[in-house]
């Protein structure tokens, strides 16, 4: 009987925490939109608070995503981060938007209560944490997390698909010169090497073109991240083609140097993508 009462108490507390977390996450998204509008208005008059507001809004958006995918064990930390983000937004907004600052202050106080409730729930759970289940749940939440319409608009206005179009267009411009009558002649490449070049080029083309399709109306966080990835793939593919053309046309004996340039370019493209991925807090 006592076990049943304890289970019921934990279930009620879990429901309350989830409902509270959902409510605070929704309020935080509203403040993110308002903060970005305020930052844009401040930028028009060159107000120094514009940059701080933008940074605070970006941090809060990442924290909202973390809170939405958090489980019973990670929710206290996500709620505590929301407190910190709300405090930063309060400080950044005091000089330009008193209403936004007051709302951020209230959210910080409410998030502190959420932190306490989430910590109580975690303490009430008597079973061991299931790492695999949590990881799978986070992956599933990341793939299905639907972004706000305002984020989609700002994402589309950023011109992220311009790099994709550039990569696809330039590759088509170079394609007529790829073949046995062009730079991929029998003197330069064997039939087996030509088969692999075709397979890599076709696969690359499909991946970048899918990024263009995803950029038309990205609805989930996964689609938005794939659009960014395909932009990096687009310019990387063009870089590889240019280096390859330069090798064949200008220095056909400098195979070691070509491999060095290809390796360095691929390494730095990957590093820059990971850097941008990390800064977005993914």
């Amino acid at each position: 009987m006592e076990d049943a009462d304890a289970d019921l108490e934990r279930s009620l507390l879990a429901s309350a925490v989830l409902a509270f977390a959902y409510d605070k996450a929704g309020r935080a998204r509203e403040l993110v939109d308002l903060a970005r509008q305020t930052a844009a208005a401040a930028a028009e008059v060159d107000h120094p608070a514009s940059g701080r507001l933008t940074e605070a809004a970006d941090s809060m958006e990442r924290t909202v995503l973390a809170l939405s995918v958090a489980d019973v064990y990670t929710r206290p930390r996500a709620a505590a981060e929301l407190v910190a983000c709300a405090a930063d937004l309060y400080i950044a907004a005091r000089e330009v938007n008193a209403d936004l600052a007051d709302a951020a202050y209230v959210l910080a106080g409410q998030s502190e209560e959420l932190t306490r409730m989430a910590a109580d729930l975690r303490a009430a759970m008597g079973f061991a944490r299931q790492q695999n289940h949590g990881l799978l749940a986070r992956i599933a939440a990341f793939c299905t997390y639907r972004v706000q319409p305002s984020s989609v608009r700002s994402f589309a206005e950023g011109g992220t698909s311009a790099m994709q179009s550039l990569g696809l267009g330039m590759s088509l411009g170079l394609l007529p010169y790829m073949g046995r009558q062009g730079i991929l002649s029998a003197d330069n490449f064997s039939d087996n090497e030509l088969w692999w070049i075709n397979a890599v080029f076709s696969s690359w083309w499909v991946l970048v073109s899918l990024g263009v399709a995803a950029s038309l109306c990205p609805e989930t966080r996964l689609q938005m991240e794939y659009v960014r990835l395909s932009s990096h793939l687009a310019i990387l593919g063009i870089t590889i083609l240019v280096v390859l053309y330069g090798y064949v046309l200008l220095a056909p004996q400098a195979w070691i140097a070509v491999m060095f340039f290809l390796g360095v370019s691929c390494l730095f493209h990957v590093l820059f993508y990971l850097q941008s991925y990390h800064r977005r807090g993914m």
Side-chain angles (χ1 to χ4, degrees), residues 243 247 254-266:
V243 172
Y247 157 71
W255 178 245
I256 296 179
V258 169
M259 296 301 294
F260 173 78
F261 282 120
L262 289 178
V264 170
S265 62
C266 290

Side-chain angles (χ1 to χ4, degrees), residues 38-124:
T38 305
E44 293 180 356
V45 295
D46 294 329
H47 197 287
S50 174
R52 296 194 299 270
L53 277 171
T54 301
E55 293 178 0
D58 292 342
S59 297
M60 181 170 286
E61 184 176 29
R62 292 193 294 267
T63 302
V64 169
L65 175 60
L67 183 62
S68 66
V69 301
D71 56 21
V72 66
Y73 293 95
T74 59
R75 193 168 290 117
R77 179 179 178 181
E81 291 177 352
L82 184 59
V83 175
C85 289
D88 291 341
L89 182 59
Y90 164 74
I91 296 173
R94 285 184 301 180
E95 301 178 2
V96 290
N97 192 326
D99 293 336
L100 175 60
D102 292 341
Y105 183 84
V106 172
L107 179 63
Q110 294 173 340
S111 298
E112 285 184 341
E113 177 65 14
L114 174 61
T115 303
R116 184 192 62 78
M117 293 174 60
D120 291 343
L121 176 60
R122 183 174 62 179

Side-chain angles (χ1 to χ4, degrees), residues 139-232:
I139 294 175
F142 175 80
C143 295
T144 58
Y145 177 79
R146 300 181 70 86
V147 295
Q148 297 299 305
S150 59
S151 298
V152 174
R153 288 194 297 270
S154 61
F155 181 84
E157 292 170 358
T160 55
S161 62
M163 195 62 68
Q164 303 157 343
S165 302
L166 176 65
L168 294 175
M170 291 184 64
S171 63
L172 279 181
L174 296 176
L175 184 62
Y177 303 98
M178 298 174 61
R180 287 309 189 192
Q181 304 303 319
I183 68 166
L184 302 181
S185 62
D187 296 334
N188 299 320
F189 297 92
S190 65
D191 291 339
N192 185 60
E193 291 172 336
L194 189 61
W195 187 93
W196 279 108
I197 291 175
N198 176 63
V200 172
F201 180 84
S202 300
S203 301
W204 171 84
W205 177 273
V206 170
L207 291 175
V208 177
S209 63
L210 286 177
V212 176
S215 68
L216 298 178
C217 187
E219 295 183 352
T220 65
R221 182 71 62 179
L222 177 63
Q223 287 178 305
M224 293 179 69
E225 191 57 38
Y226 182 75
V227 172
R228 294 188 176 100
L229 174 62
S230 65
S231 297
H232 286 266

